[in-house]
Amino acid sequence: MKKIIKKILTFLSVYYAYMLEYRAELILWVLAGALPIILMGVWIQAAQGGQFGLTPVDFARYFITVFFVRQLTVVWVIWDFEKEVIEGKLSFRLLQPIDPVWHHVAGHLSERVARIPFILLLIFLFFILYPQAIWWPNLGQFLLFGLAVILAFVLRFIIQYTFGLFAFWTERASALETFWLLFYLFLSGLIAPLEVFPETVRTIVMFTPFPYLINFPVSLLVGLPVDVARGFLSLVGWILLFLGANRLLWRAGLKRYSGMGA
């Protein structure tokens, strides 16, 4: 067990050192994910009319938390994997005694650690400029939020990695992610809290994986009404579903990849 832990820490430290070489890019990546902060201003202004059931402060807390969750769950594995397959670089990874996916996992986790200081700085500046939005969630909210964010990242990663496996059959597997992103933006709670959606639409959306990627963990932290048990069961269920599809596509794709001789 000690040897395994040592290998994991070494693996992560290598990718962390690699990510630190791109500190300037990290700042730009963090700023590129500032859409929720822009939308916050729009919804705060709209909430002045009092037609949404949420106050301007509620919207401020919601969207700053969306920004935080989005930064922690951002995934890009589909573009890296697509490039590896198309350029034949996957062959070198297959020769190693470890599933190639762990390279991507280590890269994502290391990047997350390197990104956090910039995220916290922006959140700190936000609360200085808008102190009315400061609130103190209790320990239970923090723990549930942390678990929900971890599961949301796992689900987001597995979904995108599963789409990436279609690179074995097409050179533009990333097109699937682009199509998926349209639904993700509108149905995950990134553009607007699900509380402002019509009841019928909200009911239908809850049967998809989208709201559990952002709206669910955000609601846990800011205290919006949410079915905790259903949320966690849905996250686990979707993870298992996509994981099963992922393994099937991986086995089928490897046969095709070998046949291509890439």
Side-chain angles (χ1 to χ4, degrees):
M1 181 60 70
K2 290 183 179 180
K3 290 183 179 180
I4 294 176
I5 294 177
K6 184 177 180 179
K7 290 180 180 179
I8 292 174
L9 293 177
T10 302
F11 206 52
L12 291 174
S13 64
V14 169
Y15 275 96
Y16 179 70
Y18 174 74
M19 290 299 169
L20 288 181
E21 296 179 4
Y22 297 90
R23 287 187 291 270
E25 285 84 351
L26 277 174
I27 297 175
L28 295 177
W29 294 340
V30 171
L31 294 176
L35 176 61
I37 296 178
I38 298 173
L39 292 171
M40 178 197 305
V42 176
W43 282 103
I44 287 177
Q45 186 64 31
Q48 302 294 336
Q51 301 176 356
F52 300 104
L54 297 175
T55 66
V57 171
D58 290 331
F59 277 111
R61 292 172 177 172
Y62 178 85
F63 280 105
I64 194 62
T65 309
V66 168
F67 168 76
F68 185 57
V69 171
R70 184 96 158 83
Q71 294 291 332
L72 294 180
T73 58
V74 63
V75 176
W76 62 87
V77 63
I78 188 170
W79 289 279
D80 286 350
F81 187 81
E82 180 183 74
K83 184 178 179 180
E84 288 179 358
V85 173
I86 293 175
E87 297 181 0
K89 295 180 179 179
L90 181 63
S91 301
F92 302 103
R93 295 281 174 87
L94 292 174
L95 294 175
Q96 299 174 0
I98 183 175
D99 193 307
V101 69
W102 294 112
H103 287 276
H104 300 291
V105 172
H108 280 68
L109 294 179
S110 300
E111 190 271 351
R112 220 47 36 98
V113 175
R115 179 189 290 247
I116 284 178
F118 303 114
I119 301 172
L120 295 179
L121 177 60
L122 286 178
I123 293 176
F124 178 72
L125 292 175
F126 166 77
F127 284 128
I128 289 179
L129 297 174
Y130 197 29
Q132 303 96 310
I134 296 176
W135 84 105
W136 302 104
N138 58 48
L139 180 60
Q141 287 176 297
F142 269 119
L143 294 177
L144 290 175
F145 170 75
L147 179 58
V149 169
I150 292 172
L151 291 176
F153 167 73
V154 172
L155 176 56
R156 185 82 178 92
F157 184 91
I158 292 177
I159 289 174
Q160 196 177 102
Y161 186 50
T162 301
F163 290 158
L165 293 178
F166 283 96
F168 287 122
W169 291 273
T170 175
E171 294 183 356
R172 288 293 175 265
S174 53
L176 292 172
E177 173 64 16
T178 302
F179 179 71
W180 170 275
L181 185 63
L182 295 174
F183 296 95
Y184 171 77
L185 289 174
F186 289 98
L187 303 181
S188 66
L190 176 63
I191 299 295
L194 294 188
E195 282 70 23
V196 304
F197 283 33
E199 182 65 30
T200 303
V201 175
R202 188 162 65 247
T203 300
I204 296 174
V205 170
M206 295 306 292
F207 287 99
T208 71
F210 301 107
Y212 307 104
L213 296 171
I214 292 182
N215 189 82
F216 175 65
V218 170
S219 297
L220 288 173
L221 191 64
V222 301
L224 294 177
V226 64
D227 189 333
V228 178
R230 177 179 180 176
F232 282 109
L233 287 174
S234 296
L235 277 169
V236 174
W238 283 110
I239 287 173
L240 294 176
L241 179 63
F242 276 96
L243 184 60
N246 182 283
R247 294 298 83 189
L248 290 174
L249 288 172
W250 172 254
R251 295 189 185 96
L254 279 183
K255 295 178 181 178
R256 180 178 179 83
Y257 184 74
S258 299
M260 292 169 59

